[in-house]
Amino acid sequence: MASLLSPSAAISLRLKLNRSSAVSANTPSKICCTFPGNGRCQRLSFKTKAAGSVEGNVLDKESASISDKIDYGVVGIHHVGILCENLERSLEFYQNILGLEINEARPHDKLPYRGAWLWVGSEMIHLMELPNPDPLIGRPEHGGRDRHACISIRDVSKLQAILDKAGIPYTLSRSGRPAIFTRDPDANALEFTQV
């Protein structure tokens, strides 16, 4: 009989089973646990081969495995791709309103469409002049209820003043936290959250 969880996993898992609950063989189960230290939710997969029933809160298993971390080297988000109808109009917004700068090191002439790479801290936005398959009308007024990219900033009130001066509509976070939502000229939703 194999042990399902080792003490080093630091997970307390209590299975409350009825005395005669039927269990099917090779049933994968998934749970989400928060680990001490990083506080992140890790998905754990259990595969069990079980005898036909549970007797007295004991489950005989031929084998069990646990995968507590999927690690292939994620270090962050490199860039977010945003579709635009007119590159110059989008650059006017992203550069002249939001103050983002072009990353000249990124190739602009190697792709079969026009585009630009803009710095957002150490990450980037990739503007791509391509047809947008999404509808431009009927989108939620509040960008937090739509697909959006979130950019962390130091002062939401300064951005609010910039958007007011430019006449660009926005909504504030409905949770009360310091965040503002707006849309670019192509109705792509952007969130700016104060950190």
Side-chain angles (χ1 to χ4, degrees):
M1 176 154 74
S3 172
L4 182 60
L5 298 173
S6 67
S8 64
I11 301 172
S12 174
L13 181 63
R14 293 187 182 130
L15 297 175
K16 294 183 179 179
L17 301 170
N18 289 338
R19 264 186 149 13
S20 61
S21 298
V23 178
S24 63
N26 294 322
T27 304
S29 302
K30 291 187 179 184
I31 62 169
C32 184
C33 295
T34 303
F35 289 95
N38 67 10
R40 295 176 77 176
C41 178
Q42 302 287 331
R43 296 224 183 269
L44 305 177
S45 295
F46 300 96
K47 277 198 169 187
T48 59
K49 291 183 180 178
S53 67
V54 176
E55 298 283 332
N57 293 335
V58 176
L59 182 62
D60 288 333
K61 295 169 186 56
E62 293 176 14
S63 66
S65 65
I66 181 171
S67 171
D68 62 356
K69 187 175 181 184
I70 298 173
D71 185 9
Y72 49 91
V74 173
V75 294
I77 293 179
H78 182 268
H79 71 274
V80 173
I82 295 181
L83 300 178
C84 65
E85 182 181 318
N86 180 289
L87 184 60
E88 287 73 25
R89 182 181 68 182
S90 293
L91 287 173
E92 173 70 25
F93 174 79
Y94 284 95
Q95 287 185 290
N96 298 336
I97 303 294
L98 299 182
L100 302 183
E101 296 179 7
I102 290 181
N103 178 353
E104 297 292 347
R106 296 297 298 177
H108 297 284
D109 57 350
K110 295 187 179 189
L111 297 172
Y113 52 85
R114 293 174 16 125
W117 296 82
L118 301 160
W119 284 113
V120 180
S122 60
E123 289 76 30
M124 292 169 280
I125 287 176
H126 183 199
L127 292 176
M128 300 176 288
E129 191 178 79
L130 290 169
N132 190 341
D134 292 332
L136 298 179
I137 57 171
R139 307 294 286 272
E141 178 188 357
H142 182 62
R145 294 179 174 256
D146 199 357
R147 289 180 299 277
H148 63 276
C150 181
I151 298 170
S152 54
I153 60 174
R154 290 193 181 93
D155 192 339
V156 165
S157 62
K158 284 185 180 178
L159 176 60
Q160 189 173 5
I162 291 167
L163 296 175
D164 283 338
K165 184 177 178 182
I168 296 173
Y170 58 83
T171 56
L172 299 176
S173 173
R174 297 200 172 155
S175 69
R177 64 190 171 82
I180 194 167
F181 294 82
T182 191
R183 292 186 181 274
D184 74 2
D186 293 282
N188 295 302
L190 299 169
E191 175 183 358
F192 297 87
T193 188
Q194 187 170 304
V195 293

